[in-house]
Amino acid sequence: MHFATIRLQPARLRAPSRMPWTRTFSSSSQRYEIRDVGLLPQRLIPKYQESQVGDLLSLQWPAPPRNIFLVKKDYAPAVTASLIEFANHATSTYPSTSIILEPSVAEEVHSLLQSPVYSASLDQPWPVLHDKVDLTVTLGGDGTILHASSLFATCYNVPPVLSFSMGTLGFLSEWKFAEYKRAFREVYMSGAGAGDRGTVLGDPRPASDDESLELGAGPTGWSSVRGKSMGLTRGARILMRNRLKVGLFTADGQPVQRGSKSVGMPNSLDEQGAYVMNEVLLHRGKEPHLAVLDVYVGGRFLTEAVADGIIISTPTGSTAYSLSSGGSIVHPLVPAVLLTPICARSLSFRPLVLPSSTPITLRLSEKNRSRELEVSIDGVNLGQGLTAGMEARVWDEEMRHGKNEWQKGVPCVMRRITGGEAHDGWVGGLNGLLKFNHPFGEER
């Protein structure tokens, strides 16, 4: 997957401690600006309320979300036009909101927006978004969602993701763009009780003037939105997609660190590894010889795999590369991890579905004839290969820490379907995209 970036001029973004540089085309207008994302207030951390019926969670903001991160598909003029429409609607209808864009997108569209936009210069690390983004909105296909997720690959508390299907595939995208006003309002108002005036949920104390301003009460908060209350039981429905964590280790057991700044892409490995939404891929790449890997499951030796490569996938990624390689389709609510060989030499080495709590280690065998294996996370090459004696260790992230205490994972906003739980859309997605029960040779 290719993500194009355009370097911003240093003068266009300055540190939060200094006055922001303002780019204007009219002395009387505040439009056409790109501001430093560091100027925005700290992000809001929502809660996720468990439901008595079904497996989806209910999104509960402590105050109206303010910092909205828009991520779009590249090289698609229609998607760019939709992003402009969405951004202008959000800032005009919900005045407390601010729009965050990637640097190349900000440079492309800022002159067409009604309000200033915020971005980060390329010499700033992407983790600056971890402290600023309240909500991520994606416009594109599954690749756009994966790209947005990769920007939070070292963040344990990912902002909710509202995705609009505007790409080639739509396994992960829930909403049609024609529904964007209803979808955004549902997310924005999620957590506002009847007659809400800016108090924190669960806190009976009246808010002080400073707190009311911070929580968005008054002309820019929930109280300013027509039809403001959806009720606490009508919050946006959340499917918490679990991720895997991957770390690379040298032959002597030392972690390999590879930062996004050094390889020029969002995926990065810190000393604790990186989170993966879809899959980890080890592949022989351009080398002519098959890869030879020692596979350990739960700390015990499983097999010596001789294959083009191996995929370790989440249930979310089960409909991606793993499926093309013969792996099973697993519902995203099933706590599992998939181990799928790619063109194994031994026909007896079949795809496995293991408990999500099972750690997996792949060690490059001394028998491997090529110099190294390529390592990819969610379709993006890390730039750091696996050489002889090195290990790739993959383990699960624990998301639930008690009733209504959810951390980690990727919280995805699901479309509410009349007469059933929203995750029923997964079934419809299989029928629509994989043509289940579709007669062979018949056009649909």
Side-chain angles (χ1 to χ4, degrees), residues 5-24:
T5 56
I6 300 175
R7 182 173 295 276
L8 297 177
Q9 297 299 322
R12 289 181 180 159
L13 295 177
R14 295 186 179 180
S17 60
R18 303 171 63 182
M19 290 297 290
W21 183 89
T22 302
R23 178 177 181 175
T24 66

Side-chain angles (χ1 to χ4, degrees), residues 102-428:
E102 295 181 270
S104 60
V105 181
E107 185 70 16
E108 178 184 3
V109 306
H110 73 277
S111 63
L112 301 174
L113 300 180
Q114 299 173 354
S115 300
V117 297
Y118 294 81
S119 190
S121 61
L122 293 182
D123 58 357
Q124 287 180 288
W126 273 111
V128 69
L129 295 175
H130 302 176
D131 298 324
K132 299 298 181 181
V133 175
D134 294 332
L135 171 70
T136 299
V137 178
T138 67
L139 298 96
D142 293 352
T144 307
I145 298 175
L146 291 176
H147 172 55
S149 174
S150 72
L151 299 177
F152 298 89
T154 57
C155 178
Y156 73 91
N157 206 327
V158 178
V161 179
L162 173 63
S163 56
F164 294 96
S165 181
M166 304 183 73
T168 306
L169 292 177
F171 276 109
L172 305 183
S173 303
E174 273 291 310
W175 297 81
K176 299 177 181 178
F177 185 73
E179 305 171 299
Y180 79 89
K181 292 182 180 179
R182 176 172 72 90
F184 185 70
R185 179 185 178 275
E186 185 174 298
V187 174
Y188 183 89
M189 299 303 300
S190 193
D196 191 286
R197 293 293 173 179
T199 57
V200 181
L201 291 176
D203 188 348
R205 299 173 304 153
S208 66
D209 292 341
D210 291 341
E211 288 174 334
S212 296
L213 180 61
E214 176 68 17
L215 294 174
T220 61
W222 279 323
S223 60
S224 67
V225 181
R226 183 175 299 177
K228 56 183 175 299
S229 178
M230 295 173 58
L232 295 180
T233 62
R234 293 285 296 172
R237 312 304 288 169
I238 296 294
L239 170 61
M240 194 69 74
R241 296 182 182 272
N242 76 292
R243 300 178 294 178
L244 296 173
K245 200 164 190 181
V246 58
L248 299 184
F249 295 83
T250 61
D252 59 357
Q254 297 301 310
V256 175
Q257 297 185 39
R258 193 70 170 172
S260 61
K261 205 171 180 180
S262 60
V263 298
M265 62 187 197
N267 295 90
S268 63
L269 292 173
D270 61 16
E271 60 182 8
Q272 300 298 322
Y275 291 110
V276 180
M277 184 176 179
N278 246 23
E279 79 263 315
V280 181
L281 168 66
L282 278 73
H283 196 274
R284 66 184 177 94
K286 62 183 179 181
E287 299 293 338
H289 307 291
L290 294 176
V292 183
L293 288 159
D294 294 332
V295 182
Y296 296 82
V297 174
R300 299 182 63 183
F301 178 74
L302 175 68
T303 187
E304 179 185 77
V306 182
D308 280 349
I310 289 183
I311 303 166
I312 303 177
S313 170
T314 65
T316 294
S318 68
T319 51
Y321 197 179
S322 176
L323 176 62
S324 299
S325 300
S328 299
I329 298 174
V330 179
H331 194 284
L333 288 173
V334 176
V337 58
L338 290 79
L339 180 64
T340 308
I342 305 172
C343 299
R345 184 177 67 181
S346 171
L347 298 181
S348 62
F349 185 13
R350 311 307 299 166
L352 301 176
V353 179
L354 304 167
S356 61
S357 58
T358 304
I360 298 174
T361 298
L362 303 178
R363 180 182 300 157
L364 189 59
S365 172
E366 296 290 343
K367 301 177 183 178
N368 194 75
R369 296 175 64 184
S370 62
R371 183 178 60 183
E372 66 178 25
L373 299 187
E374 293 183 358
V375 181
S376 297
I377 292 179
D378 287 343
V380 180
N381 194 304
L382 272 182
Q384 169 64 59
L386 198 71
T387 57
M390 286 183 62
E391 294 181 348
R393 302 176 188 173
V394 182
W395 61 99
D396 187 44
E397 59 173 349
E398 183 182 357
M399 296 188 299
R400 184 170 177 173
H401 301 271
K403 185 176 177 60
N404 298 324
E405 287 294 329
W406 293 80
Q407 294 178 353
K408 305 181 182 178
V410 180
C412 297
V413 181
M414 307 300 285
R415 186 171 179 268
R416 192 183 298 273
I417 294 179
T418 304
E421 289 295 321
H423 60 72
D424 288 345
W426 181 82
V427 176

